[in-house]
Amino acid sequence: MAVIGLPDKRLGEITGAVISIHDGMTCTEEEIMEFCKALPRYKRPRKIIFAEVPRNATGKIEKPLLRERYGAAHLVAKQYEVPRKSDEVK
């Protein structure tokens, strides 16, 4: 599991958890949220992503790669784009 900041239009950034489930195991978003109720509210993840967590050769989580995958370019970039004059339909 890795926790990263995800862009949010209203708050600027929200907490996101990227969770890798091992073969033969199951887990739901509701179970994760129930488990996280022991944490203070501001530390709880707002978004749960079930995906493979990339690691380097020494086993460390590659957070820059996760930020690239799930960051602004993929989740909310369209919300912030300003149309250019050449994009407008006449």
Side-chain angles (χ1 to χ4, degrees), residues 4 7 14 21-22 24-25 42 46-48 52 56 61-62 68-69 82-83 87:
I4 58 173
I14 59 171
I21 305 289
H22 295 288
M25 305 289 283
Y42 70 96
R46 297 267 183 119
K47 181 155 180 70
I48 307 289
E52 199 62 36
N56 64 17
I61 295 172
E62 293 188 5
E68 181 182 309
R69 258 188 220 165
V82 176
D87 294 340

Side-chain angles (χ1 to χ4, degrees), residues 34-35 68:
E34 183 65 32
F35 178 79
E68 181 182 309

Side-chain angles (χ1 to χ4, degrees), residues 1-5 16 53-55 60-70:
M1 179 173 99
V3 178
I4 58 173
V53 176
R55 296 180 181 269
K60 287 182 71 175
I61 295 172
E62 293 188 5
K63 283 197 175 187
L65 184 57
L66 283 173
R67 289 185 191 108
E68 181 182 309
R69 258 188 220 165
Y70 302 110

Side-chain angles (χ1 to χ4, degrees), residues 9 72-85 87:
K9 190 172 185 176
H74 296 287
L75 292 179
V76 296
K78 295 287 182 191
Q79 294 177 1
Y80 293 105
E81 283 183 5
V82 176
R84 295 176 290 171
K85 291 203 180 245
D87 294 340

